[in-house]
Amino acid sequence: MSYRLGVDVGGTFTDLALYDTDTDRLEFAKTPSTPVNQALGVAAGIRELMDRHGVSPDRIDFFIHGTTVATNTLLERKGAKTALIVTAGFRDVLQIGRQDRPDLYDWRIRRSDPLVPRHLRFEAQERVLHTGEVMNPMEAGTLDDIIGRVKDANVDAVAVCLLHSYANPEHEQAIGDAIRRELPDIPISLSHEILPEFKEYERMSTTTINAYVAPVMERYLRRLEESIADVGLKSDLYIMQSNGGTMGAETAIERPVHTILSGPAAGVIGAVAIAQQAGKPNSISIDMGGTSFDVSLSYKGEVRRTQESELERLPVKVPMVDIHTLGAGGGSIAWIDPGGALRVGPQSAGADPGPACYGNGGAEATVTDANIVLGRLGATSLLGGTMTLDIELARQVISERIAEPLGLTVEEAAEGIVQVVNASMVKGIRVVSVSKGYDPREFCLVAFGGAGPLHASELADEMDIPSVLVPVAPGVTSALGLLMADLRHDFAQTVLKPGSELSPTEITNWYEQLETQAMEQMGREGIAAGDVSLIRTADARYVGQGYELEVPATSGKLEQKDVEAIMERFHEAHIRNYGYASRDNAVEVVNLRVTALASMPRPDLAHDSQDAGGDPSRAIIGQRDVYFRNEPKETNIYDRSGLRPGDVITGPAIVEQLDSTTVVWGNQTATVDNYLNLLVTGKHR
């Protein structure tokens, strides 16, 4: 037998999914994260999973990991001391940024401080034009001067971003080679390798972020490699990318900026695949964990991706799954603002100390504390009863922090906490749906994460979403998504020419160069050429526009009709996105892109239909009072492992399992489908 293992590290729990490729069997595990050294929690979870199911570690053929190391390093500003080398005169681009204000009407708002302070930004006397022509050659002595200043600064990483290096990288290459000779132990990020595209600020920001997090990511991955070797795994280590694909550990060490949304991207990949299998091509996925709420929309089964994003108001211009993130999770802290209003988040109790009900010293009221007070979580709801929750500690902290100051009962305060966090999440769902022209009534809400199914019914009701799909293992869907991802790499070349000035031969040559890079990268990952698919796209815009749209391009040798087809596809895309096209205006080709894909074996989630149910009462494990709109109702508690395809549960009901809890309101029903998903339908208002 051979196995594939996916491990996703979250702020509170580390999730594991084990797939037997011979029998299609899936096994899951969940263990507390170890924030001080995440590698320890990963190794402990692997040992637990292997021991529980009697699997020898040397049978793991493929190990893929979703990590928040790069994300947390950036959010917490705990990255490396970084130097930045720029073209003379462009030292302050990182500080100036763009001229737009983050919030037009907030006069007190501040831009994020640059990751590299001004005294660590060094200027190189050189200049390359946007055409690639060298205007000012690298001055004699420039390299020696730069290396000397970098040495004196005693930095841990170096970023190099010279003007128009995407058009001609020779000066960047010279600086990189010189630093590697003199400072071989310091990681270097060259912008023409990290982001060979125009837009100086975004390219400089992305390259700087890569350098800033690189030493931290390398230390973590090296520790992880040692930890899994101690466990006995022989598999190479693969890392989830923000674009929804995978890459080798060595590539992740060189380009950690591509892992900024590693874990959340895996969740979206898993949710979309599960929804597709269940016949729900239009889906909105919500991932509510301990610290955050991630929401993404998929239309007709397509995972939406973006080329530009921001994290803490710092541009990150790499391909990534289009995800909107809020500070709203089970550990989000409830508080009262100076005006006396109840607020929830974005601060979180995290894994240590965690919510008060964990009994680890948490002294703040959280969403999880509110859910246990309302009866939606039981004392033994988490981790199959191996983790006990203390309702009295939850009641005490909500009483002291929220109920008494607001003159409410503990239950009213708990209900208020849930309603406030729900309102924040509804806004997040609107951002990816209504604000982009999608009608939520045409979608299914896929709820996962440890806390997602607790809140999903209310969120769907508020948004008029007709159904909620809760996967078979909602708390570990991100880990499952890791096993459904393909090996993927994206490559780009900036063009910046009107389509009328581009010949088919010129475009074909650029695409072939990108495809050569793609095949070389896949070869380094150990993928045979015959297993690689190459996809061409182009970024286009009307001349004078500031943003572009990505459209498909033809493979092989292009002809004039293929170039004209790119222009026409852009007009059509403009109509879909903005409601009109301006065919009299010239279309400019901004970037050419190539995506290399290699398919990986995916788990088949279909359940044996011979094991069909019909009477869900076999799964009832007790009753308890659960508060619905401040009214306690005696409610059946179901053990999800006892449910079978065809079972129909009538609400109100609570469905508990190892990794999550699902709330089914009155007037709702939950049906178990052939993939063991719970499909919740009906409005509870």
Side-chain angles (χ1 to χ4, degrees):
M1 287 187 177
S2 61
Y3 296 85
R4 291 164 54 85
L5 176 64
V7 179
D8 176 61
V9 178
T12 306
F13 291 105
T14 295
D15 304 328
L16 303 93
L18 181 67
Y19 173 50
D20 185 334
T21 58
D22 295 328
T23 65
D24 268 336
R25 189 184 67 177
L26 276 166
E27 303 291 352
F28 304 101
K30 203 173 184 72
T31 187
S33 296
T34 51
V36 176
N37 182 357
Q38 291 183 359
L40 298 177
V42 172
I46 293 173
R47 286 193 180 94
E48 177 187 335
L49 189 61
M50 299 295 101
D51 292 344
R52 184 191 307 164
H53 299 289
V55 176
S56 175
D58 60 9
R59 304 303 299 169
I60 305 297
D61 292 337
F62 181 82
F63 174 41
I64 179 170
H65 178 41
T67 174
T68 56
V69 168
T71 313
N72 293 341
T73 299
L74 186 58
L75 292 176
E76 298 169 8
R77 294 294 180 109
K78 293 182 178 179
K81 182 181 180 182
T82 304
L84 173 63
I85 300 171
V86 300
T87 299
F90 290 82
R91 184 182 183 187
D92 295 318
V93 166
L94 208 60
Q95 188 91 38
I96 297 169
R98 292 292 177 189
Q99 305 236 351
D100 57 328
R101 292 174 54 81
D103 191 322
L104 185 61
Y105 299 107
D106 188 345
W107 295 104
R108 296 170 297 177
I109 200 164
R110 286 188 56 190
R111 296 183 184 274
S112 293
D113 293 330
L115 297 176
V116 180
R118 197 171 194 271
H119 71 277
L120 292 179
R121 301 179 217 148
F122 307 119
E123 296 182 321
Q125 299 298 324
E126 63 82 44
R127 187 68 176 264
V128 172
L129 300 179
H130 74 281
T131 59
E133 178 187 353
V134 177
M135 178 179 176
N136 296 327
M138 189 88 72
E139 289 190 0
T142 291
L143 288 180
D144 292 338
D145 177 61
I146 288 174
I147 292 171
R149 296 172 72 185
V150 170
K151 279 184 175 180
D152 293 341
N154 194 30
V155 297
D156 301 312
V158 176
V160 184
C161 187
L162 303 183
L163 191 66
H164 302 308
S165 63
Y166 58 86
N168 183 349
E170 65 179 63
H171 289 172
E172 276 195 1
Q173 290 169 340
I175 292 174
D177 291 342
I179 293 177
R180 289 187 180 104
R181 285 195 303 270
E182 299 297 325
L183 300 168
D185 297 328
I186 292 183
I188 303 170
S189 299
L190 305 179
S191 72
H192 75 275
E193 295 177 347
I194 303 302
L195 184 64
E197 300 179 27
F198 88 123
K199 292 186 179 179
E200 292 307 309
Y201 173 50
E202 287 78 5
R203 184 159 57 91
M204 191 177 293
S205 174
T206 303
T207 305
T208 302
I209 290 171
N210 193 81
Y212 183 74
V213 302
V216 179
M217 178 64 86
E218 181 174 15
R219 286 195 298 270
Y220 170 67
L221 291 182
R222 296 303 184 208
R223 286 199 302 262
L224 181 59
E225 287 176 328
E226 293 174 1
S227 296
I228 63 176
D230 291 341
V231 172
L233 264 64
K234 306 298 183 185
S235 166
D236 291 335
L237 173 61
Y238 288 86
I239 304 299
M240 187 73 182
Q241 296 186 71
S242 304
N243 63 10
T246 67
M247 62 181 173
E250 293 303 321
T251 306
I253 288 171
E254 295 173 2
R255 303 181 183 184
V257 70
H258 288 274
T259 70
I260 291 293
L261 287 181
S262 175
V268 174
I269 296 297
V272 171
I274 290 168
Q276 278 275 79
Q277 287 185 334
K280 303 289 184 181
N282 295 347
S283 62
I284 298 173
S285 63
I286 58 168
D287 178 4
M288 185 178 182
T291 57
S292 64
F293 176 81
D294 302 317
V295 55
S296 182
L297 181 142
S298 170
Y299 182 65
K300 294 184 178 179
E302 179 185 354
V303 175
R304 295 177 62 85
R305 292 179 173 85
T306 179
Q307 302 294 338
E308 296 187 43
S309 188
E310 284 190 353
L311 198 64
E312 289 293 287
R313 296 201 173 101
L314 296 175
V316 186
K317 197 175 188 298
V318 296
M320 57 180 63
V321 175
D322 193 0
I323 298 172
H324 183 65
T325 301
L326 303 171
S332 293
I333 294 171
W335 52 287
I336 300 172
D337 70 14
L342 176 60
R343 309 287 290 275
V344 180
Q347 301 87 354
S348 174
D352 186 13
C357 60
Y358 283 13
N360 293 329
E364 301 288 346
T366 69
V367 174
T368 297
D369 293 312
N371 276 313
I372 191 172
V373 166
L374 295 174
R376 300 176 188 180
L377 286 175
T380 59
S381 292
L382 297 188
L383 301 186
T386 60
M387 182 175 181
T388 303
L389 303 181
D390 191 326
I391 187 173
E392 292 306 319
L393 287 177
R395 292 183 64 86
Q396 178 182 336
V397 74
I398 289 178
S399 176
E400 293 174 354
R401 298 284 184 175
I402 307 297
E404 291 179 10
L406 294 178
L408 303 173
T409 67
V410 172
E411 289 77 16
E412 289 172 339
E415 177 73 20
I417 292 171
V418 170
Q419 291 303 314
V420 169
V421 77
N422 283 352
S424 296
M425 293 188 285
V426 165
K427 289 181 181 178
I429 296 173
R430 290 185 182 278
V431 167
V432 304
S433 58
V434 177
S435 66
K436 294 186 178 181
Y438 292 99
D439 187 344
R441 293 173 295 183
E442 298 175 358
F443 289 77
C444 172
L445 190 69
V446 183
F448 59 102
L454 272 170
H455 297 256
S457 291
E458 290 179 280
L459 300 179
D461 195 66
E462 183 68 26
M463 295 291 298
D464 287 328
I465 297 173
S467 62
V468 175
L469 188 153
V470 182
V472 63
V476 295
T477 297
S478 291
L480 179 58
L482 294 171
L483 300 179
M484 293 181 165
D486 295 325
L487 192 66
R488 177 184 176 119
H489 289 286
D490 296 290
F491 300 85
Q493 172 64 54
T494 292
V495 175
L496 281 178
K497 288 185 178 181
S500 58
E501 298 179 12
L502 290 169
S503 70
T505 301
E506 190 177 16
I507 297 178
T508 298
N509 289 338
W510 271 320
Y511 272 130
E512 288 178 347
Q513 291 173 18
L514 293 174
E515 288 170 348
T516 298
Q517 296 177 39
M519 295 305 296
E520 290 174 350
Q521 179 62 46
M522 284 299 201
R524 288 191 289 270
E525 302 276 12
I527 304 300
D531 295 331
V532 179
S533 299
L534 298 174
I535 301 171
R536 294 178 177 181
T537 59
D539 295 346
R541 66 185 182 185
Y542 292 121
V543 173
Q545 282 186 319
Y547 297 92
E548 53 275 356
L549 296 173
E550 187 176 4
V551 297
T554 307
S555 60
K557 298 284 185 183
L558 271 66
E559 300 177 3
Q560 185 59 38
K561 64 178 182 179
D562 299 317
V563 178
E564 294 171 357
I566 292 175
M567 309 303 122
E568 181 57 31
R569 290 178 189 131
F570 167 73
H571 291 308
E572 294 170 356
H574 206 275
I575 292 172
R576 287 195 303 271
N577 282 271
Y578 303 112
Y580 74 97
S582 184
R583 286 184 166 82
D584 293 335
N585 288 355
V587 176
E588 182 179 44
V589 176
V590 178
N591 299 305
L592 301 179
R593 299 186 184 277
V594 167
T595 296
L597 289 174
S599 297
M600 297 292 181
R602 291 188 175 190
D604 183 1
L605 301 181
H607 192 70
D608 186 356
S609 59
Q610 294 179 354
D611 193 17
D615 181 11
S617 63
R618 81 181 82 80
I620 296 176
I621 55 174
Q623 290 83 28
R624 66 170 176 262
D625 281 345
V626 178
Y627 281 80
F628 295 94
R629 302 204 185 282
N630 288 319
E631 292 185 10
K633 294 184 179 180
E634 187 176 40
T635 303
N636 286 331
I637 313 300
Y638 292 82
D639 177 2
R640 187 164 179 181
S641 64
L643 296 176
R644 301 290 180 265
D647 283 346
V648 179
I649 296 173
T650 302
I654 301 292
V655 183
E656 296 183 344
Q657 58 191 105
L658 173 74
D659 54 335
S660 189
T661 298
T662 302
V663 177
V664 183
W665 283 63
N667 298 326
Q668 289 187 319
T669 59
T671 304
V672 183
D673 70 8
N674 196 44
Y675 299 95
L676 292 182
N677 300 309
L678 277 181
L679 192 64
V680 183
T681 57
K683 298 179 72 66
H684 59 72
R685 282 187 291 186

